[in-house]
């Protein structure tokens, strides 16, 4: 089965000045998913090409029931009540636990784009046209939701952003209504407005400590590449809590680490935020820990 790389958004920098027609969508606290159907086979794929359909039977059932056709590719964000931290609890291989968790922590696939419908490639069409196809092809269901969107102007974005934060969202995603779908690209046609000037990263492990503290630093990844380490911004007690979380999410990684990184353990990617004075040669200078993205 062919793999699809999702289109990514850029963090909005400088003064916002929108020209043309733009739409806004709320920024959700979940995991990006590409959903695909070929005939009777429906699959869910993460950004790292991990097939996770069997972990979310409620999503598969709703897609089969609420999306027309038998050949399509959808883009969306997978969420559960309580945010990404609760979503991590759905990461199990145990069939009995999967069945129980699908009822105890039910997931929702929040759809916002469609890349193919009935075999037709839609990535070259403007976003507004893809949105229309999506609305025609998919119905809302118990575990399927179409992410709301609206036309915005430079003047209305601030009010929409503040409203989104009050409603519990992480911010806004702004998209050029005429833009094509640029698979695998972090494009300026999609802009991300967040609650603070932070950098999105993934924690993929921790380094050994030279003293009595739980670990030395957190190992970071961004866009599939090693992104340095962060060792400041948390107390010793907080380090212990973080290490417990990391141990529960141990996993092998496919990111090349420098030889001087003294690895304590590696984990599945855990979304987080850091602050840094600047980016130098692709790495943050003087990074400071902010939070895991669900915190």
């Amino acid at each position: 089965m062919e793999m699809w790389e999702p289109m990514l958004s850029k963090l909005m920098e400088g003064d916002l000045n929108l020209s043309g027609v733009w739409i806004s969508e709320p920024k959700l606290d979940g995991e990006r998913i590409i959903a695909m159907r070929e005939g009777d086979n429906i699959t869910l794929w993460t950004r790292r090409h991990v097939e996770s359909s069997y972990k979310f039977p409620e999503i598969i059932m709703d897609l089969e029931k609420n999306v027309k056709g038998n050949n399509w590719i959808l883009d969306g964000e997978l969420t559960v009540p309580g945010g990404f931290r609760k979503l991590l609890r759905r990461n199990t291989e145990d069939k009995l636990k999967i069945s129980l968790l699908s009822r105890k922590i039910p997931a929702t696939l929040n759809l916002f784009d469609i890349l193919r419908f009935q075999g037709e490639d839609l990535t070259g069409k403007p976003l507004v046209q893809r949105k229309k196809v999506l609305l025609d092809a998919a119905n809302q269901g118990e575990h399927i939701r179409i992410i709301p969107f609206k036309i915005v102007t430079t003047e209305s974005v601030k009010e929409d952003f503040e409203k989104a934060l009050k409603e519990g969202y992480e911010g806004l995603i702004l998209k050029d209504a005429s833009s094509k779908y640029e698979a695998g690209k972090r494009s300026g046609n999609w802009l991300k407005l967040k609650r603070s000037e932070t950098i999105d990263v993934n924690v993929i492990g921790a380094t050994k400590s030279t003293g009595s503290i739980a670990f030395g630093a957190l190992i970071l990844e961004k866009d599939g590449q090693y992104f340095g380490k962060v060792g400041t911004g948390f107390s010793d007690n907080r380090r212990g809590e973080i290490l417990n979380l990391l141990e529960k999410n141990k996993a092998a990684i496919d990111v090349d680490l420098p030889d001087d990184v003294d690895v304590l353990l590696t984990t599945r990617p855990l979304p987080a935020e850091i602050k840094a004075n600047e980016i130098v040669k692709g790495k943050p200078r003087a990074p400071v820990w902010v939070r895991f993205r669900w915190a």
Side-chain angles (χ1 to χ4, degrees), residues 26-291:
K27 185 178 184 298
L28 306 182
D29 183 18
E31 182 172 19
R32 190 73 172 273
I33 289 290
I34 297 291
M36 306 177 68
R37 179 167 188 170
E38 293 183 2
D40 294 331
N41 188 33
I42 298 177
T43 52
L44 305 177
W45 297 88
T46 70
R47 275 182 59 189
R48 299 183 177 279
H49 302 161
V50 175
E51 204 275 311
S52 56
S53 317
Y54 62 98
K55 296 180 180 179
F56 299 96
E58 71 274 33
I59 299 295
I60 300 300
M61 290 179 61
D62 246 23
L63 285 171
E64 186 172 19
K65 184 167 94 173
N66 292 294
V67 182
K68 300 173 186 175
N70 62 0
N71 189 321
W72 40 253
I73 301 175
L74 307 172
D75 195 353
E77 190 86 357
L78 186 70
T79 61
V80 300
F84 188 82
R85 188 171 191 173
K86 282 289 184 69
L87 181 58
L88 288 173
R89 295 177 61 184
R90 295 292 304 266
N91 183 35
T92 178
E93 306 291 330
D94 186 288
K95 291 182 179 180
L96 178 59
K97 286 184 178 180
I98 288 171
S99 178
L100 293 173
L101 289 170
S102 69
R103 297 188 293 273
K104 185 177 180 181
I105 312 176
T108 299
L109 184 57
N110 303 271
L111 301 172
F112 53 76
D113 216 327
I114 184 166
L115 316 186
R116 176 188 292 166
F117 186 63
Q118 289 304 82
E120 181 185 0
D121 184 354
L122 303 175
T123 56
K125 295 185 179 298
L127 174 61
V128 286
Q129 290 188 26
R130 302 198 306 273
K131 289 281 192 186
K132 184 178 185 304
V133 175
L134 177 63
L135 291 172
D136 289 341
N139 296 317
Q140 306 258 45
E142 185 178 358
H143 302 287
I144 300 296
R145 173 176 176 253
I146 309 296
I147 290 185
F149 62 94
K150 61 181 290 188
I151 303 296
V152 293
T153 63
T154 302
E155 291 71 28
S156 69
V157 166
K158 182 178 180 181
E159 180 180 340
D160 291 341
F161 178 68
E162 292 175 351
K163 181 182 178 183
L165 295 184
K166 288 180 181 177
E167 292 176 350
Y169 295 112
E170 294 207 320
L172 291 178
I173 303 292
L174 303 179
K175 299 178 177 180
D176 186 332
S178 64
S179 62
K180 299 177 182 179
Y181 191 95
E182 301 172 82
K185 182 177 180 182
R186 190 172 295 279
S187 172
N189 288 321
W190 288 12
L191 299 175
K192 175 169 48 182
L193 276 68
K194 297 173 53 184
R195 68 177 74 223
S196 61
E197 293 302 318
T198 60
I199 303 170
D200 281 342
V201 296
N202 286 315
V203 173
I204 56 171
T207 64
K208 296 177 181 177
S209 167
T210 56
S212 59
I213 55 177
F215 61 87
L218 296 177
I219 304 168
L220 307 178
E221 172 269 334
K222 185 173 176 62
D223 300 331
Q225 304 293 322
Y226 173 67
F227 196 62
K229 300 174 291 185
V230 58
T232 60
F234 23 63
S235 65
D236 287 353
N237 286 339
R238 181 61 175 145
R239 283 178 188 267
E241 295 173 0
I242 291 174
L243 183 59
N244 286 335
L245 175 66
L246 299 186
E247 288 176 338
K248 292 177 182 178
N249 287 277
K250 281 184 180 180
I253 61 173
D254 57 3
V255 177
D256 292 330
L257 302 179
D259 293 338
D260 62 353
V261 176
D262 193 8
V263 177
L264 173 64
L265 80 170
T266 59
T267 70
R268 62 170 299 201
L270 302 174
E273 296 176 357
I274 61 169
K275 288 185 177 180
N277 295 334
E278 59 182 333
I279 304 298
V280 179
K281 295 182 179 180
K283 302 292 185 297
R285 185 170 73 84
V288 177
W289 175 255
V290 176
R291 63 171 189 148

